[in-house]
Amino acid sequence: MAVHGRCWTITSRKRTYGIDTSTWELFDMELILKIEELRMELNHLARSKRLADREMIMVSQQLDELLNEYHRLMIQKQVK
């Protein structure tokens, strides 16, 4: 991960993602980075494990929790 001004770059094994942070608060960015890290981890695990594997389920549930938190945050921002 690298920071270039207001853009963060996340590099996974095969891809690089640019994220424009100009309109996000630091908390939002930290949450988005955690989501992206878990998403990449889940994709990596999916290549070598069964879908019912305990580790796959655990990471998937962690990702679900963060996505729900992000959704709640976005709803709160729309209400304000």
Side-chain angles (χ1 to χ4, degrees):
M1 178 175 57
V3 179
H4 306 285
R6 290 184 175 184
C7 184
W8 289 39
T9 302
I10 301 171
T11 303
S12 69
R13 288 177 176 76
K14 295 184 180 180
R15 296 183 180 167
T16 299
Y17 304 91
I19 299 175
D20 179 10
T21 62
S22 60
T23 59
W24 293 344
E25 297 173 17
L26 183 58
F27 175 77
D28 297 348
M29 196 62 224
E30 289 175 3
L31 181 57
I32 289 167
L33 289 173
K34 287 178 186 177
I35 289 169
E36 185 62 21
E37 287 172 3
L38 282 175
R39 188 193 65 77
M40 287 188 291
E41 182 180 348
L42 191 59
N43 282 331
H44 176 71
L45 287 172
R47 293 185 189 105
S48 62
K49 302 206 180 268
R50 298 177 303 114
L51 291 178
D53 185 86
R54 286 183 185 181
E55 189 176 7
M56 285 280 293
I57 292 170
M58 184 181 71
V59 173
S60 178
Q61 289 173 340
Q62 290 173 349
L63 180 57
D64 287 346
E65 289 176 16
L66 291 181
L67 288 170
N68 289 335
E69 183 178 344
Y70 179 79
H71 182 70
R72 282 190 295 275
L73 181 65
M74 292 302 107
I75 289 173
Q76 286 176 358
K77 285 186 174 197
Q78 289 177 355
V79 171
K80 289 182 182 181

